Amino acid sequence: MTQNGITADDLLKFSFLQDPQLSPDGNWLVYVKRSINEEKKYQSSLYMMDLQTKEEFPFTKKDDKAVQPRFSPEGHTILFTSNRSGTQQIWKIASNGGEAEQLTYFKNGAADPIWSPDGKQVLCTVPLAENEVLLTEDDSEDDSKEAKPYVTSRLKYKADGEGLLNETHKHLILIDLDSGKGTKLTTGSYDHQQATFSPDGKRIAFVANRSKDPDYELISDIYELTLEDNQFTKLTDSDGVFTYPNYSPDGTTLSLLGHRREYKGATLTRVWTLDRATGNLTCLTGDWDVEANDVAINDMGTGVQGKGAVWSTENDALYVQASEKGYTNLYHVSLNKRIKTIVSGKRQIYAFSLDQQQKTAVIGVSDHETPGDFSLVSMADGKEEKLTYANQEWLQEKVLSVPEEINFEARDGSKLHGWVMKPIGYQEGTKYPLIVEIHGGPHAMYSHAFMHEFQVLAEKGYGVLYINPRGSHGYGQAFVDAVRGDYGGNDYHDIMDAVDYATKTCDWIDKDRLGVTGGSYGGFMTNWIVGHTNRFKAAVTQRSITNWLSFYGVSDIGYFFTEWELKADLIQDPDTLWKHSPLRYVKNVETPLLILHSEKDHRCPIEQGEQFYVALKQQQKPTRLVRFPEANHNLSRSGDPSLRISRLNEMIEWFEQYL
């Protein structure tokens, strides 16, 4: 039926490139290459590249999970995190190769290694209970496996990807490399993270929410710790969400990313500076209506912890990623608030690393035809040289569907933007079914990045339509905030207007064979759509929300997300929650609906899918429920490879049955 496009099983062939790190002299690149082994399990190892010869070679073993590589200040040693000893610990290895040496032996493991400027100390994070001392793996403790009840008095007692929280928090540990001794720097039932050293190595800045009850006060502050006397100073006023502190080269100022929650979770991330002497916070991008962050969606697992806003060596500007109109690029933001594009293009720049002199940068790039590769960039003129071709060899044998951009107006005149993909093997004059894809968030962004799922649908003979409806990032603060309090309103109309536009302008679309799918918020919208129109002949809802009343109490974020997004809460206004619940309209559903849900999803728990399934089944409506064991909310992006393939195959079989 089709040519040689990408299949669901081709997931097993991909290499996923993450976390590029340039050596201080700019001559070497170390990065994480993630792949799927013969047992269909993820493995990750470090790779090194000589940037003079462009020779690439594996640097650590493939049979363990090595991540977070970090060059020492002089470039002779690399720290990384690995589970090769059985628990996640920090390891070190000479940058010219050799055997890796285990650095930490903490009973609870360690992660997030950071070098001190003189290379004599390492900072890391270790999970510890409030009064728990720092123990090594050899320290004996009662490890009884006897079944015990789980007891909590916390409001937030579970988290997606973690399960029931075990009352530990991330604490900062300082390791002296000469003695190997680790010193606990932080205390209390708080998470301390995103730490960074001052240029003189005498202070550490970090992010924490040390409010009276962090479960209720959803803020993050910047703190500074003086190492000589272990004194804490709180640098922000608990009135916002501030993250990723970075010291200026002269040590007087911190750069931050964040906002003051003016629009709750829909507030644009801005670039800030914090004067350490005066405490003054200055927003550098207040007049730039752009999200200063990478929020582009792809299903290639390229996301890693960001760098924040990185200072120029001249102390007068910052380098930062930002997302706009479906692309994420790298920008130069000066202290006098001038913004210049460093590297542009219709793509997602998902990572970047600068050498010590900032003459070159390495960027991680994903576009419609590139799952993820690295390029070397000259900071002087922006010229690029591609460094890796991670998937090129086998992708050359495949036919890809290249998305075409569309721009159109919604019924109220709002400008909308998206893409449409033709099926593989497209022939002029033939009619094809169309699948509408709806992203989650809702405050995220479909982009010019590669999407395996969309290519799989195109290979099966489907066109694919995807847009950024209001609520999405990339189109300014008013647009991203427009969905709040209006779920199922104009966001629904945006999706339907996109279908109208596509079917009018693409004569190859068969109007009688339309399908729709989406996950998380996209699952909510899929449920909403089938309860409000019979236009689609088949639908697949994934990790969805069906009932805001129960979501409020069962989701790890329900108690605040519901109020933020619907502008109503269970206690004061349950009627509004029910009004926006797809379950309320389940009697209207005629569209055959496949329900896909992960059993360990704590973000949109499986009871949400179960409620919709039983309500449909009781009415003898065409439906099917597929449960994915041991999977969480991120199944489609980072879940077990076998389950990811099963998920895609379930979708395809459903659409083939009804379209």
Side-chain angles (χ1 to χ4, degrees), residues 159-161 440-441 519-523 542-545 551 555-557 597-605 630-639 647:
D160 189 63
S520 196
Y521 164 82
Q542 308 171 58
R543 58 189 185 279
S544 70
I545 297 170
F551 178 85
S555 168
D556 63 345
I557 63 172
H597 224 112
S598 297
E599 292 189 347
K600 290 194 173 180
D601 189 338
H602 290 292
R603 184 60 40 85
C604 297
E630 302 302 316
N632 61 35
H633 195 65
N634 285 305
L635 170 63
S636 66
R637 296 176 287 270
S638 59
R647 167 187 160 271

PDB file of all heavy atoms in Angstrom, residues 159-161 440-441 519-523 542-545 551 555-557 597-605 630-639 647:
ATOM      1  N   ALA A 159       4.141  11.434  43.005  1.00  0.00           N
ATOM      2  CA  ALA A 159       4.599  12.178  41.833  1.00  0.00           C
ATOM      3  C   ALA A 159       4.733  11.228  40.663  1.00  0.00           C
ATOM      4  O   ALA A 159       5.182  10.086  40.825  1.00  0.00           O
ATOM      5  CB  ALA A 159       5.934  12.857  42.115  1.00  0.00           C
ATOM      6  N   ASP A 160       4.332  11.692  39.483  1.00  0.00           N
ATOM      7  CA  ASP A 160       4.447  10.840  38.304  1.00  0.00           C
ATOM      8  C   ASP A 160       5.914  10.518  38.055  1.00  0.00           C
ATOM      9  O   ASP A 160       6.789  11.374  38.141  1.00  0.00           O
ATOM     10  CB  ASP A 160       3.857  11.538  37.083  1.00  0.00           C
ATOM     11  CG  ASP A 160       3.768  10.596  35.898  1.00  0.00           C
ATOM     12  OD1 ASP A 160       3.023   9.607  36.005  1.00  0.00           O
ATOM     13  OD2 ASP A 160       4.464  10.834  34.896  1.00  0.00           O
ATOM     14  N   GLY A 161       6.180   9.267  37.745  1.00  0.00           N
ATOM     15  CA  GLY A 161       7.541   8.815  37.531  1.00  0.00           C
ATOM     16  C   GLY A 161       8.257   8.393  38.787  1.00  0.00           C
ATOM     17  O   GLY A 161       9.305   7.749  38.728  1.00  0.00           O
ATOM     18  N   GLY A 440      -0.197  17.765  24.372  1.00  0.00           N
ATOM     19  CA  GLY A 440      -0.502  17.916  25.797  1.00  0.00           C
ATOM     20  C   GLY A 440      -0.057  19.261  26.315  1.00  0.00           C
ATOM     21  O   GLY A 440       0.351  20.144  25.585  1.00  0.00           O
ATOM     22  N   GLY A 441      -0.123  19.415  27.609  1.00  0.00           N
ATOM     23  CA  GLY A 441       0.311  20.672  28.238  1.00  0.00           C
ATOM     24  C   GLY A 441      -0.765  21.309  29.107  1.00  0.00           C
ATOM     25  O   GLY A 441      -0.826  21.043  30.294  1.00  0.00           O
ATOM     26  N   GLY A 519      -2.781  13.213  23.722  1.00  0.00           N
ATOM     27  CA  GLY A 519      -2.450  12.719  25.047  1.00  0.00           C
ATOM     28  C   GLY A 519      -2.425  13.816  26.085  1.00  0.00           C
ATOM     29  O   GLY A 519      -2.101  14.972  25.789  1.00  0.00           O
ATOM     30  N   SER A 520      -2.785  13.474  27.324  1.00  0.00           N
ATOM     31  CA  SER A 520      -2.812  14.398  28.452  1.00  0.00           C
ATOM     32  C   SER A 520      -3.871  15.478  28.182  1.00  0.00           C
ATOM     33  O   SER A 520      -5.046  15.152  28.011  1.00  0.00           O
ATOM     34  CB  SER A 520      -1.419  14.984  28.685  1.00  0.00           C
ATOM     35  OG  SER A 520      -1.316  15.571  29.946  1.00  0.00           O
ATOM     36  N   TYR A 521      -3.479  16.752  28.076  1.00  0.00           N
ATOM     37  CA  TYR A 521      -4.469  17.744  27.648  1.00  0.00           C
ATOM     38  C   TYR A 521      -5.035  17.369  26.280  1.00  0.00           C
ATOM     39  O   TYR A 521      -6.229  17.547  26.013  1.00  0.00           O
ATOM     40  CB  TYR A 521      -3.852  19.143  27.596  1.00  0.00           C
ATOM     41  CG  TYR A 521      -4.682  20.128  26.798  1.00  0.00           C
ATOM     42  CD1 TYR A 521      -5.775  20.764  27.376  1.00  0.00           C
ATOM     43  CD2 TYR A 521      -4.391  20.386  25.454  1.00  0.00           C
ATOM     44  CE1 TYR A 521      -6.559  21.647  26.626  1.00  0.00           C
ATOM     45  CE2 TYR A 521      -5.156  21.259  24.711  1.00  0.00           C
ATOM     46  CZ  TYR A 521      -6.242  21.887  25.301  1.00  0.00           C
ATOM     47  OH  TYR A 521      -7.014  22.746  24.561  1.00  0.00           O
ATOM     48  N   GLY A 522      -4.191  16.830  25.410  1.00  0.00           N
ATOM     49  CA  GLY A 522      -4.669  16.372  24.107  1.00  0.00           C
ATOM     50  C   GLY A 522      -5.673  15.237  24.241  1.00  0.00           C
ATOM     51  O   GLY A 522      -6.571  15.086  23.408  1.00  0.00           O
ATOM     52  N   GLY A 523      -5.533  14.419  25.301  1.00  0.00           N
ATOM     53  CA  GLY A 523      -6.526  13.388  25.589  1.00  0.00           C
ATOM     54  C   GLY A 523      -7.818  13.990  26.092  1.00  0.00           C
ATOM     55  O   GLY A 523      -8.914  13.549  25.715  1.00  0.00           O
ATOM     56  N   GLN A 542      -5.495   9.300  24.930  1.00  0.00           N
ATOM     57  CA  GLN A 542      -4.324   8.774  25.621  1.00  0.00           C
ATOM     58  C   GLN A 542      -4.047   9.577  26.898  1.00  0.00           C
ATOM     59  O   GLN A 542      -4.112  10.795  26.885  1.00  0.00           O
ATOM     60  CB  GLN A 542      -3.103   8.856  24.705  1.00  0.00           C
ATOM     61  CG  GLN A 542      -3.319   8.228  23.330  1.00  0.00           C
ATOM     62  CD  GLN A 542      -2.174   8.535  22.391  1.00  0.00           C
ATOM     63  OE1 GLN A 542      -1.020   8.221  22.673  1.00  0.00           O
ATOM     64  NE2 GLN A 542      -2.490   9.158  21.258  1.00  0.00           N
ATOM     65  N   ARG A 543      -3.749   8.839  27.997  1.00  0.00           N
ATOM     66  CA  ARG A 543      -3.400   9.454  29.296  1.00  0.00           C
ATOM     67  C   ARG A 543      -4.244  10.706  29.554  1.00  0.00           C
ATOM     68  O   ARG A 543      -3.721  11.767  29.867  1.00  0.00           O
ATOM     69  CB  ARG A 543      -1.899   9.748  29.364  1.00  0.00           C
ATOM     70  CG  ARG A 543      -1.328  10.658  28.297  1.00  0.00           C
ATOM     71  CD  ARG A 543       0.211  10.680  28.360  1.00  0.00           C
ATOM     72  NE  ARG A 543       0.765  11.629  27.422  1.00  0.00           N
ATOM     73  CZ  ARG A 543       0.942  11.387  26.130  1.00  0.00           C
ATOM     74  NH1 ARG A 543       0.595  10.207  25.621  1.00  0.00           N
ATOM     75  NH2 ARG A 543       1.482  12.315  25.341  1.00  0.00           N
ATOM     76  N   SER A 544      -5.543  10.547  29.465  1.00  0.00           N
ATOM     77  CA  SER A 544      -6.435  11.696  29.358  1.00  0.00           C
ATOM     78  C   SER A 544      -7.059  12.115  30.683  1.00  0.00           C
ATOM     79  O   SER A 544      -6.953  11.431  31.708  1.00  0.00           O
ATOM     80  CB  SER A 544      -7.558  11.379  28.363  1.00  0.00           C
ATOM     81  OG  SER A 544      -8.445  10.411  28.911  1.00  0.00           O
ATOM     82  N   ILE A 545      -7.713  13.253  30.642  1.00  0.00           N
ATOM     83  CA  ILE A 545      -8.565  13.747  31.725  1.00  0.00           C
ATOM     84  C   ILE A 545     -10.011  13.611  31.261  1.00  0.00           C
ATOM     85  O   ILE A 545     -10.360  14.046  30.161  1.00  0.00           O
ATOM     86  CB  ILE A 545      -8.256  15.217  32.062  1.00  0.00           C
ATOM     87  CG1 ILE A 545      -6.822  15.364  32.568  1.00  0.00           C
ATOM     88  CG2 ILE A 545      -9.245  15.757  33.093  1.00  0.00           C
ATOM     89  CD1 ILE A 545      -6.364  16.810  32.695  1.00  0.00           C
ATOM     90  N   PHE A 551     -10.124  14.191  39.213  1.00  0.00           N
ATOM     91  CA  PHE A 551      -8.751  14.575  38.887  1.00  0.00           C
ATOM     92  C   PHE A 551      -8.161  15.447  39.986  1.00  0.00           C
ATOM     93  O   PHE A 551      -6.978  15.329  40.337  1.00  0.00           O
ATOM     94  CB  PHE A 551      -8.737  15.320  37.554  1.00  0.00           C
ATOM     95  CG  PHE A 551      -7.375  15.828  37.122  1.00  0.00           C
ATOM     96  CD1 PHE A 551      -6.500  14.999  36.449  1.00  0.00           C
ATOM     97  CD2 PHE A 551      -6.997  17.135  37.376  1.00  0.00           C
ATOM     98  CE1 PHE A 551      -5.247  15.460  36.047  1.00  0.00           C
ATOM     99  CE2 PHE A 551      -5.755  17.605  36.988  1.00  0.00           C
ATOM    100  CZ  PHE A 551      -4.874  16.760  36.316  1.00  0.00           C
ATOM    101  N   SER A 555      -4.744  13.228  40.915  1.00  0.00           N
ATOM    102  CA  SER A 555      -3.541  13.615  40.179  1.00  0.00           C
ATOM    103  C   SER A 555      -2.506  14.194  41.133  1.00  0.00           C
ATOM    104  O   SER A 555      -2.848  14.857  42.121  1.00  0.00           O
ATOM    105  CB  SER A 555      -3.882  14.662  39.116  1.00  0.00           C
ATOM    106  OG  SER A 555      -2.707  15.238  38.578  1.00  0.00           O
ATOM    107  N   ASP A 556      -1.229  13.984  40.814  1.00  0.00           N
ATOM    108  CA  ASP A 556      -0.181  14.569  41.647  1.00  0.00           C
ATOM    109  C   ASP A 556      -0.163  16.093  41.570  1.00  0.00           C
ATOM    110  O   ASP A 556       0.433  16.755  42.425  1.00  0.00           O
ATOM    111  CB  ASP A 556       1.194  13.984  41.290  1.00  0.00           C
ATOM    112  CG  ASP A 556       1.641  14.294  39.859  1.00  0.00           C
ATOM    113  OD1 ASP A 556       0.806  14.702  39.036  1.00  0.00           O
ATOM    114  OD2 ASP A 556       2.842  14.094  39.567  1.00  0.00           O
ATOM    115  N   ILE A 557      -0.798  16.669  40.564  1.00  0.00           N
ATOM    116  CA  ILE A 557      -0.866  18.127  40.440  1.00  0.00           C
ATOM    117  C   ILE A 557      -2.303  18.649  40.497  1.00  0.00           C
ATOM    118  O   ILE A 557      -2.531  19.852  40.375  1.00  0.00           O
ATOM    119  CB  ILE A 557      -0.203  18.609  39.137  1.00  0.00           C
ATOM    120  CG1 ILE A 557      -0.949  18.068  37.914  1.00  0.00           C
ATOM    121  CG2 ILE A 557       1.269  18.236  39.100  1.00  0.00           C
ATOM    122  CD1 ILE A 557      -0.473  18.651  36.586  1.00  0.00           C
ATOM    123  N   HIS A 597      -4.097   3.970  28.388  1.00  0.00           N
ATOM    124  CA  HIS A 597      -3.731   4.583  29.658  1.00  0.00           C
ATOM    125  C   HIS A 597      -2.665   3.748  30.369  1.00  0.00           C
ATOM    126  O   HIS A 597      -2.712   2.525  30.359  1.00  0.00           O
ATOM    127  CB  HIS A 597      -4.958   4.731  30.566  1.00  0.00           C
ATOM    128  CG  HIS A 597      -5.036   6.057  31.238  1.00  0.00           C
ATOM    129  ND1 HIS A 597      -6.008   6.994  30.956  1.00  0.00           N
ATOM    130  CD2 HIS A 597      -4.243   6.628  32.167  1.00  0.00           C
ATOM    131  CE1 HIS A 597      -5.819   8.070  31.699  1.00  0.00           C
ATOM    132  NE2 HIS A 597      -4.740   7.866  32.450  1.00  0.00           N
ATOM    133  N   SER A 598      -1.731   4.439  30.996  1.00  0.00           N
ATOM    134  CA  SER A 598      -0.664   3.780  31.764  1.00  0.00           C
ATOM    135  C   SER A 598      -1.125   3.531  33.195  1.00  0.00           C
ATOM    136  O   SER A 598      -1.746   4.405  33.813  1.00  0.00           O
ATOM    137  CB  SER A 598       0.589   4.652  31.775  1.00  0.00           C
ATOM    138  OG  SER A 598       1.094   4.826  30.468  1.00  0.00           O
ATOM    139  N   GLU A 599      -0.778   2.355  33.718  1.00  0.00           N
ATOM    140  CA  GLU A 599      -1.266   1.977  35.038  1.00  0.00           C
ATOM    141  C   GLU A 599      -0.581   2.739  36.164  1.00  0.00           C
ATOM    142  O   GLU A 599      -1.131   2.849  37.261  1.00  0.00           O
ATOM    143  CB  GLU A 599      -1.110   0.469  35.239  1.00  0.00           C
ATOM    144  CG  GLU A 599      -2.039  -0.335  34.333  1.00  0.00           C
ATOM    145  CD  GLU A 599      -2.062  -1.814  34.649  1.00  0.00           C
ATOM    146  OE1 GLU A 599      -1.180  -2.285  35.403  1.00  0.00           O
ATOM    147  OE2 GLU A 599      -2.974  -2.503  34.151  1.00  0.00           O
ATOM    148  N   LYS A 600       0.632   3.266  35.926  1.00  0.00           N
ATOM    149  CA  LYS A 600       1.329   4.024  36.966  1.00  0.00           C
ATOM    150  C   LYS A 600       1.418   5.506  36.614  1.00  0.00           C
ATOM    151  O   LYS A 600       2.359   6.189  37.004  1.00  0.00           O
ATOM    152  CB  LYS A 600       2.711   3.430  37.211  1.00  0.00           C
ATOM    153  CG  LYS A 600       2.639   2.070  37.896  1.00  0.00           C
ATOM    154  CD  LYS A 600       3.982   1.641  38.449  1.00  0.00           C
ATOM    155  CE  LYS A 600       3.832   0.357  39.270  1.00  0.00           C
ATOM    156  NZ  LYS A 600       5.126  -0.097  39.835  1.00  0.00           N
ATOM    157  N   ASP A 601       0.416   5.973  35.874  1.00  0.00           N
ATOM    158  CA  ASP A 601       0.315   7.398  35.556  1.00  0.00           C
ATOM    159  C   ASP A 601      -0.242   8.108  36.779  1.00  0.00           C
ATOM    160  O   ASP A 601      -1.409   7.928  37.131  1.00  0.00           O
ATOM    161  CB  ASP A 601      -0.603   7.592  34.347  1.00  0.00           C
ATOM    162  CG  ASP A 601      -0.606   9.016  33.816  1.00  0.00           C
ATOM    163  OD1 ASP A 601      -0.258   9.939  34.580  1.00  0.00           O
ATOM    164  OD2 ASP A 601      -0.952   9.205  32.636  1.00  0.00           O
ATOM    165  N   HIS A 602       0.587   8.920  37.434  1.00  0.00           N
ATOM    166  CA  HIS A 602       0.117   9.706  38.568  1.00  0.00           C
ATOM    167  C   HIS A 602      -0.227  11.139  38.172  1.00  0.00           C
ATOM    168  O   HIS A 602      -0.731  11.883  39.007  1.00  0.00           O
ATOM    169  CB  HIS A 602       1.162   9.717  39.691  1.00  0.00           C
ATOM    170  CG  HIS A 602       1.309   8.398  40.384  1.00  0.00           C
ATOM    171  ND1 HIS A 602       0.321   7.868  41.176  1.00  0.00           N
ATOM    172  CD2 HIS A 602       2.309   7.496  40.384  1.00  0.00           C
ATOM    173  CE1 HIS A 602       0.707   6.701  41.659  1.00  0.00           C
ATOM    174  NE2 HIS A 602       1.914   6.446  41.183  1.00  0.00           N
ATOM    175  N   ARG A 603       0.034  11.506  36.927  1.00  0.00           N
ATOM    176  CA  ARG A 603      -0.338  12.838  36.446  1.00  0.00           C
ATOM    177  C   ARG A 603      -1.802  12.849  36.029  1.00  0.00           C
ATOM    178  O   ARG A 603      -2.584  13.696  36.466  1.00  0.00           O
ATOM    179  CB  ARG A 603       0.595  13.213  35.284  1.00  0.00           C
ATOM    180  CG  ARG A 603       0.428  14.615  34.719  1.00  0.00           C
ATOM    181  CD  ARG A 603       0.673  15.717  35.750  1.00  0.00           C
ATOM    182  NE  ARG A 603       1.766  15.480  36.641  1.00  0.00           N
ATOM    183  CZ  ARG A 603       3.046  15.767  36.408  1.00  0.00           C
ATOM    184  NH1 ARG A 603       3.390  16.305  35.250  1.00  0.00           N
ATOM    185  NH2 ARG A 603       3.978  15.546  37.324  1.00  0.00           N
ATOM    186  N   CYS A 604      -2.173  11.933  35.163  1.00  0.00           N
ATOM    187  CA  CYS A 604      -3.573  11.703  34.787  1.00  0.00           C
ATOM    188  C   CYS A 604      -3.867  10.239  35.108  1.00  0.00           C
ATOM    189  O   CYS A 604      -3.728   9.372  34.231  1.00  0.00           O
ATOM    190  CB  CYS A 604      -3.810  11.999  33.306  1.00  0.00           C
ATOM    191  SG  CYS A 604      -3.523  13.707  32.828  1.00  0.00           S
ATOM    192  N   PRO A 605      -4.204   9.937  36.339  1.00  0.00           N
ATOM    193  CA  PRO A 605      -4.305   8.531  36.765  1.00  0.00           C
ATOM    194  C   PRO A 605      -5.302   7.722  35.941  1.00  0.00           C
ATOM    195  O   PRO A 605      -6.248   8.256  35.350  1.00  0.00           O
ATOM    196  CB  PRO A 605      -4.736   8.650  38.222  1.00  0.00           C
ATOM    197  CG  PRO A 605      -4.164   9.957  38.665  1.00  0.00           C
ATOM    198  CD  PRO A 605      -4.331  10.860  37.471  1.00  0.00           C
ATOM    199  N   GLU A 630       3.220  -0.890  34.498  1.00  0.00           N
ATOM    200  CA  GLU A 630       4.503  -0.296  34.899  1.00  0.00           C
ATOM    201  C   GLU A 630       4.849   0.979  34.134  1.00  0.00           C
ATOM    202  O   GLU A 630       5.980   1.472  34.238  1.00  0.00           O
ATOM    203  CB  GLU A 630       5.642  -1.304  34.734  1.00  0.00           C
ATOM    204  CG  GLU A 630       5.459  -2.596  35.516  1.00  0.00           C
ATOM    205  CD  GLU A 630       5.313  -2.360  37.011  1.00  0.00           C
ATOM    206  OE1 GLU A 630       6.072  -1.547  37.562  1.00  0.00           O
ATOM    207  OE2 GLU A 630       4.401  -2.971  37.621  1.00  0.00           O
ATOM    208  N   ALA A 631       3.911   1.521  33.375  1.00  0.00           N
ATOM    209  CA  ALA A 631       4.190   2.724  32.584  1.00  0.00           C
ATOM    210  C   ALA A 631       3.618   3.945  33.286  1.00  0.00           C
ATOM    211  O   ALA A 631       2.605   3.869  33.980  1.00  0.00           O
ATOM    212  CB  ALA A 631       3.594   2.591  31.187  1.00  0.00           C
ATOM    213  N   ASN A 632       4.269   5.110  33.085  1.00  0.00           N
ATOM    214  CA  ASN A 632       3.787   6.350  33.675  1.00  0.00           C
ATOM    215  C   ASN A 632       3.298   7.308  32.587  1.00  0.00           C
ATOM    216  O   ASN A 632       3.042   6.908  31.454  1.00  0.00           O
ATOM    217  CB  ASN A 632       4.865   6.982  34.569  1.00  0.00           C
ATOM    218  CG  ASN A 632       6.129   7.343  33.809  1.00  0.00           C
ATOM    219  OD1 ASN A 632       6.098   7.740  32.639  1.00  0.00           O
ATOM    220  ND2 ASN A 632       7.273   7.207  34.461  1.00  0.00           N
ATOM    221  N   HIS A 633       3.167   8.578  32.943  1.00  0.00           N
ATOM    222  CA  HIS A 633       2.579   9.568  32.034  1.00  0.00           C
ATOM    223  C   HIS A 633       3.422   9.777  30.782  1.00  0.00           C
ATOM    224  O   HIS A 633       2.908  10.238  29.757  1.00  0.00           O
ATOM    225  CB  HIS A 633       2.413  10.892  32.790  1.00  0.00           C
ATOM    226  CG  HIS A 633       1.508  11.873  32.121  1.00  0.00           C
ATOM    227  ND1 HIS A 633       0.156  11.650  31.940  1.00  0.00           N
ATOM    228  CD2 HIS A 633       1.738  13.100  31.588  1.00  0.00           C
ATOM    229  CE1 HIS A 633      -0.399  12.689  31.338  1.00  0.00           C
ATOM    230  NE2 HIS A 633       0.549  13.577  31.102  1.00  0.00           N
ATOM    231  N   ASN A 634       4.704   9.452  30.839  1.00  0.00           N
ATOM    232  CA  ASN A 634       5.609   9.715  29.721  1.00  0.00           C
ATOM    233  C   ASN A 634       5.842   8.497  28.838  1.00  0.00           C
ATOM    234  O   ASN A 634       6.889   8.393  28.192  1.00  0.00           O
ATOM    235  CB  ASN A 634       6.948  10.241  30.251  1.00  0.00           C
ATOM    236  CG  ASN A 634       6.840  11.683  30.707  1.00  0.00           C
ATOM    237  OD1 ASN A 634       6.415  12.544  29.947  1.00  0.00           O
ATOM    238  ND2 ASN A 634       7.198  11.940  31.948  1.00  0.00           N
ATOM    239  N   LEU A 635       4.883   7.590  28.788  1.00  0.00           N
ATOM    240  CA  LEU A 635       5.028   6.385  27.984  1.00  0.00           C
ATOM    241  C   LEU A 635       5.433   6.680  26.552  1.00  0.00           C
ATOM    242  O   LEU A 635       6.336   6.053  25.999  1.00  0.00           O
ATOM    243  CB  LEU A 635       3.721   5.587  28.001  1.00  0.00           C
ATOM    244  CG  LEU A 635       3.619   4.414  27.001  1.00  0.00           C
ATOM    245  CD1 LEU A 635       4.669   3.355  27.308  1.00  0.00           C
ATOM    246  CD2 LEU A 635       2.221   3.826  27.005  1.00  0.00           C
ATOM    247  N   SER A 636       4.800   7.649  25.908  1.00  0.00           N
ATOM    248  CA  SER A 636       5.026   7.886  24.478  1.00  0.00           C
ATOM    249  C   SER A 636       6.404   8.453  24.187  1.00  0.00           C
ATOM    250  O   SER A 636       6.888   8.371  23.057  1.00  0.00           O
ATOM    251  CB  SER A 636       3.958   8.832  23.921  1.00  0.00           C
ATOM    252  OG  SER A 636       4.079  10.113  24.503  1.00  0.00           O
ATOM    253  N   ARG A 637       7.070   9.027  25.196  1.00  0.00           N
ATOM    254  CA  ARG A 637       8.364   9.669  24.976  1.00  0.00           C
ATOM    255  C   ARG A 637       9.532   8.869  25.552  1.00  0.00           C
ATOM    256  O   ARG A 637      10.595   8.808  24.958  1.00  0.00           O
ATOM    257  CB  ARG A 637       8.355  11.076  25.590  1.00  0.00           C
ATOM    258  CG  ARG A 637       7.356  12.011  24.924  1.00  0.00           C
ATOM    259  CD  ARG A 637       7.314  13.358  25.613  1.00  0.00           C
ATOM    260  NE  ARG A 637       6.644  13.294  26.901  1.00  0.00           N
ATOM    261  CZ  ARG A 637       5.332  13.486  27.070  1.00  0.00           C
ATOM    262  NH1 ARG A 637       4.570  13.733  26.027  1.00  0.00           N
ATOM    263  NH2 ARG A 637       4.785  13.429  28.273  1.00  0.00           N
ATOM    264  N   SER A 638       9.339   8.282  26.721  1.00  0.00           N
ATOM    265  CA  SER A 638      10.462   7.613  27.385  1.00  0.00           C
ATOM    266  C   SER A 638      10.070   6.290  28.020  1.00  0.00           C
ATOM    267  O   SER A 638      10.830   5.735  28.805  1.00  0.00           O
ATOM    268  CB  SER A 638      11.057   8.538  28.451  1.00  0.00           C
ATOM    269  OG  SER A 638      10.064   8.882  29.420  1.00  0.00           O
ATOM    270  N   GLY A 639       8.892   5.780  27.694  1.00  0.00           N
ATOM    271  CA  GLY A 639       8.435   4.531  28.281  1.00  0.00           C
ATOM    272  C   GLY A 639       9.175   3.323  27.742  1.00  0.00           C
ATOM    273  O   GLY A 639       9.998   3.421  26.819  1.00  0.00           O
ATOM    274  N   ARG A 647       1.759   0.561  21.893  1.00  0.00           N
ATOM    275  CA  ARG A 647       0.858   1.720  21.879  1.00  0.00           C
ATOM    276  C   ARG A 647       0.603   2.191  20.455  1.00  0.00           C
ATOM    277  O   ARG A 647      -0.545   2.425  20.051  1.00  0.00           O
ATOM    278  CB  ARG A 647       1.477   2.835  22.721  1.00  0.00           C
ATOM    279  CG  ARG A 647       0.830   4.192  22.555  1.00  0.00           C
ATOM    280  CD  ARG A 647       1.609   5.281  23.288  1.00  0.00           C
ATOM    281  NE  ARG A 647       1.255   6.566  22.752  1.00  0.00           N
ATOM    282  CZ  ARG A 647       1.855   7.148  21.729  1.00  0.00           C
ATOM    283  NH1 ARG A 647       2.856   6.553  21.109  1.00  0.00           N
ATOM    284  NH2 ARG A 647       1.466   8.331  21.299  1.00  0.00           N
TER     285      ARG A 647
END
